[in-house]
Amino acid sequence: VQLQAYGGGLVQAGGSLRLSCAASGSIFNILDMGWYGQVPGKQRELVATITRSGVTNYADSVKGRFTISRDNAMNTVTLQMISLKPEDTAVYYCNAHIFSMPTGRWDDYWGQGTQVTVSS
């Protein structure tokens, strides 16, 4: 099982970016998917998560600016970010709780991380 993240980059404050992540491999089912952000010297922190049925959860700092969505048929999760602020700068990692056929169990999987830099 692999998670491949796309998007990210450099944007000015007030701008927008879209992150996407696709899960592939021997996947039987995916429960929660989400995005986490990490800055140097700090722990990875929750940005947004979404359940299989579409229930979302956001960090207080991004509420009203970020929108998470997913496509269960395509095993993808997307984070639409608007009104970006310099403090949103981080490496963003996608995450998914996946039941894999080869392992026969649920595990958390992580994408490779994508850099988002917001200049002031």
Side-chain angles (χ1 to χ4, degrees):
V1 174
Q2 283 188 329
L3 295 185
Q4 180 68 49
Y6 304 89
L10 173 64
V11 65
Q12 288 188 332
S16 302
L17 281 174
R18 183 183 182 93
L19 306 181
S20 296
C21 178
S24 62
S26 297
I27 297 169
F28 180 75
N29 200 357
I30 303 177
L31 293 180
D32 290 6
M33 303 184 81
W35 291 93
Y36 292 73
Q38 188 169 25
V39 297
K42 292 190 175 182
Q43 288 189 331
R44 199 170 294 183
E45 295 183 340
L46 179 148
V47 174
T49 61
I50 184 168
T51 68
R52 185 169 183 83
S53 60
V55 177
T56 58
N57 180 47
Y58 296 94
D60 288 343
S61 61
V62 307
K63 285 180 180 177
R65 299 187 298 118
F66 290 11
T67 302
I68 189 170
S69 60
R70 65 187 284 174
D71 184 330
N72 291 332
M74 300 298 292
N75 292 335
T76 59
V77 60
T78 298
L79 186 69
Q80 179 67 49
M81 306 183 289
I82 65 171
S83 302
L84 282 160
K85 304 175 181 179
E87 50 264 43
D88 296 321
T89 296
V91 177
Y92 284 73
Y93 295 89
C94 61
N95 167 269
H97 197 57
I98 297 174
F99 190 97
S100 168
M101 293 303 291
T103 63
R105 65 171 189 257
W106 293 97
D107 284 301
D108 274 330
Y109 291 85
W110 293 90
Q112 80 280 16
T114 184
Q115 177 71 47
V116 171
T117 302
V118 184
S119 62
S120 57

